[in-house]
């Protein structure tokens, strides 16, 4: 019943994806726990996106069981009405509403179909800090379907997963990977440590198109030179740039991409629900057959299939850690990116806590 | 695995409803946890109602898996036989039964179809302390069906719910309430603080009959003057007197009720199963069409429908409190009855503990 | 989330049954928790039985989701390959495998279709300490089907159950027992306290064949003299020798068994999964109709039916203990064997801990 503090567990002063905008269609009041806080998300009648503490200040009923009125929301237990600011502005049967009545309001920004939320100090919630991912809005170049998956695992286990492409060979042999060879014959050509994450690049020359790609291309047996460039940013934002160039045309030399090259842009957003569960958002965007909805759908389904393969491993890891929190793990060479990310994130969380402690005694 | 003490959580020296008598028909051995204690309830062959600790003193098997023999019950693991007093009187294969062998027996009283149980000091279990509710036995004036619902919530959240009729407007608009107007245009005419609870009275003049009432009356469109009088008693006993008088006949002036008035009598008994779950018993009794079983059934079903609406809110509250036990709530004007009840009950529990502490050092 | 130490809970330096060999057919990688440790069991391609910690040393993925290669197993997350010794011998994409990389390997012995595992100090894992049960291999004299059941209860509650045959009368009246008379008119003729367990013997003269036996014999109405000899050994190994002799032929006098006597040999192995769950293995072997598979099947099914009757009681006990760990139990005369076993096991566990503590300071 007791709730340990989330201090030191999550980075709070940063933007997280809380939802895709399709989740707020038609007056939905979306109940979503973020960093262990209950939040209700909705769009007011003006179109404004609102995020409030999902717990009426009166008796603690969820506002997500409430009713949208204009841009306000009314608790449907005793009728308390709240502004987007969180201020309570009406109590049926009571003439005066004391100023102190209200719920916490969280800064939210709708950008390129993603709803970003700031769970920390609202005064520091600068929308300019939201990481930009142009493919999400460049619909003349990129198309894809936004999607969601829930993980019964800490979000860092998903970050770990994405930090080492070698898992493609074993976990995703028949879906996203294509062959075990990938782990043996290819290596990252670069692992760059960034101030707020990492960048890894890996080539697989003269290879068969992996199954997810094969499904949406006409010449299924032509060899490809495959390049993956992954970039991970704190707190859990991943961009993957994938290129399939016709094999042997020199794509690896860095000039213009050979004719017939197909590209993908993939974003993945990992948002902690609790310390042991995660909201996982993604969109896998393609640059060819933009007007063929079956291509978007096939790729979305292929990714979902692959992520479920990851999920089996990642949730199994979480169960084993739960059963024995003292589990000791041992690093291998390919853990460089993973280790850098966990160290950097730990420093950021520690700095945030120190600043909070200073503020508290000032 | 550890079980925190229930001291300070529950009032122990008082009568709680443990069951309706229909639950003990045909030799049932009803396993029911009350105030976090396992209890088996049964009627012996003489008709006597018995309540014993539901845990054989030998190896801890549940007596509710046992067999009734006369007014005794036999554990069907190794055959230990217990009297209604809890004393063990037979061990198959052993000639002498030591005096110390036995289980706790709880005082129980069957009154007006309700089985009342006393979980505290048995020496103080005076049946005269059982609160009387005559409509349950006045079958020439009142008819209704006894019913049961289980809540995954602390019983005080149900008490809170019943303390403010304004929730009828929002939670039960289309079932028990009838309109949101109820919250805006009516107010309690009285909130009386009693030594052991509270009394609230509220009128809704010239209103449409609410849906549950409409279903069982012939003139569905005649306006009514509606009066609700609720009385709540420690530890969680609620009586509701509802009157629907033809509108504009002066029912509010206090004389004899106008011709065509229909009345209901409703009792609700909230018994803690654990600190976060509750047994909820009710009977909604009507004064008209006494011999039409469909009227009783319709009202019982309407109440069940309405209580499920409450249950959705109340169990959601419990989940939010579980997730964050430090939740701060803010009172509004209509919380007067609720606040008085919680304060008074807290005092009674504290006094009971102090007395127990004194007895322990005496 | 925290995991209390298992010290003082389980005896570690002894052999436990971890599986029947049929569970490892066809390349199965059996995930089985033993004494709260995750273990993967498999047979390598040479036939060797291997038991490893079911948690890759790299990122904690379960090896039971891996692939058998020769006698090795490969983690299918990033491809780490492990020898039966637990040593990691390959990391795809990394040339050198540091010596420290590996997982714990547990000593295992396959004997008479049972896979025995040693969870304590591997240096002390002497196969000669495995208790011998010849009927499991004497297929010219005994036939039966190995079987498995999972209990949501501490294994000692199953030991308790087997320590007092009186429960046959009440729990198994219509299956394994046959009559309540068994508890009243028969008594153990001997309860022997052994250094590592106990031996009990009980006769039921001139009785009807119990239902499970009746199903597989031709003369269903002939009275029998029934003898049960049970032997229980630390940590939870039970052998039951059952004899049904034609009534009145003097079987109890100890000479050669009368013509027409039928015998059964039953072994039961209780292995703690966790402190509140148990793996239960058994084989009920018969000496007649060796080549009729329906006899083996009928007996196996009868036992399963009977064990489910026990399970209902035993799991109910566990729930009551969980709800109130301070439950006080009171012994009766027939608890002599049970009490001796619990005392002896407690001494063995304490001695093991003391030795461990000495080793730690040496």
């Amino acid at each position: 019943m007791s709730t340990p503090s989330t201090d030191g567990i999550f980075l709070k002063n940063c933007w997280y994806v809380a939802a895709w905008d399709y989740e707020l269609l038609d007056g939905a009041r979306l109940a979503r726990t973020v960093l262990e806080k209950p939040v209700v998300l909705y769009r007011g009648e003006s179109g404004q996106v609102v995020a409030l503490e999902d717990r009426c200040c009166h008796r603690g009923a969820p506002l997500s069981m409430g009713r949208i009125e204009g841009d306000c929301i009314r608790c449907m237990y005793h009728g308390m009405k709240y502004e987007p600011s969180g201020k309570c502005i009406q109590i049926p049967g009571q003439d005066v509403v004391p100023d102190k009545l209200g719920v916490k309001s969280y800064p939210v920004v709708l950008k390129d179909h993603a709803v970003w939320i700031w769970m920390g100090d609202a005064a520091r919630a600068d929308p300019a800090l939201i990481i930009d991912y142009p493919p999400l809005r460049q619909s003349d170049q990129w198309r894809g379907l936004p999607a969601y998956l829930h993980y019964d695992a800490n979000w860092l286990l998903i970050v770990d997963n994405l930090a080492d492409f070698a898992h493609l060979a074993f976990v995703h042999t028949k879906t996203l990977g294509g062959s075990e060879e990938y782990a043996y014959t290819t290596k990252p050509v670069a692992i760059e440590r960034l101030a707020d994450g990492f960048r890894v690049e890996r080539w697989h020359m003269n290879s068969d198109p992996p199954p997810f790609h094969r499904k949406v291309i006409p010449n299924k047996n032509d060899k490809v030179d495959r390049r993956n460039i992954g970039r991970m940013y704190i707190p859990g934002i991943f961009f993957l740039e994938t290129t399939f160039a016709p094999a042997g045309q020199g794509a690896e030399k860095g000039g213009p991409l050979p004719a017939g090259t197909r590209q993908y842009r993939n974003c993945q957003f990992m948002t902690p629900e609790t310390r042991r569960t995660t909201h996982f958002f993604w969109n896998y965007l393609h640059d060819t057959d933009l007007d063929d909805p079956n291509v978007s759908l096939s790729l979305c389904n292929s990714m979902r299939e692959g992520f479920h393969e990851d999920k089996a491993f990642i949730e199994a890891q979480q169960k084993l850690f739960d059963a024995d929190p003292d589990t000791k793990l041992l690093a291998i060479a390919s853990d460089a990116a993973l280790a850098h990310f966990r160290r950097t994130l730990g420093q950021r969380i520690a700095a945030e806590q120190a600043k909070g402690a200073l503020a508290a005694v000032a």
Side-chain angles (χ1 to χ4, degrees), chain A:
Chain A
M1 297 289 184
S2 75
T3 311
S5 162
T6 62
D7 292 347
I9 302 290
F10 305 124
L11 189 67
K12 295 177 185 175
N13 286 313
C14 64
W15 292 100
Y16 288 95
V17 171
W20 288 114
D21 63 354
Y22 77 80
E23 299 182 278
L24 302 183
L25 285 173
D26 197 30
R29 295 128 305 162
L30 180 65
R32 184 149 279 168
T33 295
V34 181
L35 308 197
E36 304 190 354
K37 298 293 178 195
V39 177
V40 57
L41 293 152
Y42 66 93
R43 296 191 79 156
E45 290 170 17
S46 76
Q48 181 183 357
V49 178
V50 179
L52 298 177
E53 180 183 0
D54 191 18
R55 187 169 52 191
C56 179
C57 70
H58 171 220
R59 298 304 301 161
L63 297 184
S64 52
M65 292 173 73
R67 182 171 65 199
I68 297 170
E69 300 184 5
D71 285 352
C72 298
I73 194 163
R74 185 185 296 281
C75 176
M76 289 300 278
Y77 197 175
H78 299 94
M80 314 270 286
K81 185 174 173 181
Y82 295 92
E83 283 185 336
S85 69
K87 184 172 162 45
C88 178
I89 56 169
Q90 190 185 35
I91 304 174
Q94 180 172 331
D95 296 334
V96 178
V97 180
D99 276 345
K100 67 173 179 182
L101 290 187
V103 296
K104 193 168 169 51
S105 170
Y106 295 99
V108 271
V109 173
L110 174 59
K111 183 181 174 187
D112 303 335
H113 301 287
V115 177
W116 295 84
I117 194 166
W118 183 279
M119 302 301 293
D121 176 6
R124 301 175 57 194
D126 179 359
L129 297 174
I130 296 176
I131 199 162
D132 193 38
Y133 196 62
L136 279 176
R137 64 176 171 273
Q138 296 163 334
S139 60
D140 56 332
Q141 297 174 56
W142 303 102
R143 291 283 169 83
L145 292 168
Y148 172 86
L149 205 58
H150 183 270
Y151 274 77
D152 279 329
N154 183 285
W155 89 104
L156 286 172
L157 294 175
I158 312 176
V159 170
D160 294 348
N161 171 279
L162 293 162
D164 185 359
F165 292 154
H167 85 276
L168 287 170
F170 299 103
V171 178
H172 305 305
T173 324
K174 296 179 181 171
T175 54
L176 313 183
S179 78
E180 295 191 16
E181 183 192 81
Y182 187 79
Y184 292 95
T185 64
T186 84
K187 284 198 184 187
V189 295
I191 300 181
E192 289 175 47
R193 293 171 177 78
L194 310 177
D196 56 350
F198 59 79
R199 179 187 179 281
V200 293
E201 180 174 347
R202 194 157 179 156
W203 285 84
H204 192 190
M205 309 306 287
N206 198 37
S207 59
D208 290 319
F212 82 95
H213 182 54
R214 232 179 100 93
K215 285 182 189 165
V216 296
I217 55 173
N219 302 315
K220 299 183 189 302
N221 297 318
D222 292 357
K223 296 281 184 181
V224 292
D225 290 342
R226 175 185 190 178
R227 181 181 66 181
N228 277 328
I229 299 177
R231 288 173 293 143
M232 180 74 74
Y233 299 103
I234 284 171
I237 294 170
F238 183 68
F239 300 136
L240 178 66
E241 182 182 324
T242 296
T243 305
F244 290 101
Q249 304 290 315
E252 73 282 12
K253 291 175 190 154
L257 288 165
T261 296
R262 285 177 180 236
Q263 296 200 72
Y264 298 109
R265 292 294 180 272
N266 174 218
C267 56
Q268 302 183 22
F269 305 108
M270 289 140 270
T271 300
E273 180 181 57
T274 67
R275 67 198 68 193
R276 61 180 315 291
T277 56
T278 300
H279 302 295
F280 179 76
F281 305 91
W282 87 89
N283 195 336
Y284 199 85
L285 301 135
H286 53 103
D287 73 343
T288 313
D289 300 324
L290 291 187
D291 293 322
D292 184 347
N294 276 348
V295 171
S296 299
L297 190 59
S298 174
L299 290 164
C300 182
N301 288 345
S302 289
M303 291 304 130
R304 191 181 298 276
E305 184 185 10
F307 295 151
H308 273 281
E309 291 169 333
D310 288 321
K311 198 172 192 279
F313 275 95
I314 289 169
E315 296 186 344
Q317 287 177 290
Q318 181 71 48
K319 277 188 192 165
L320 285 166
F321 297 151
D322 285 347
D324 182 1
D326 298 327
T327 303
K328 294 282 178 296
L329 301 178
L330 300 171
I332 63 175
S334 65
D335 291 334
L338 174 164
H340 172 69
F341 188 87
R342 285 183 169 250
R343 189 167 51 240
T344 307
L345 175 65
Q347 289 164 351
R348 284 279 298 274
I349 292 174
E352 182 175 285
Q353 283 193 275
K355 189 173 290 184
L358 277 178
V361 298

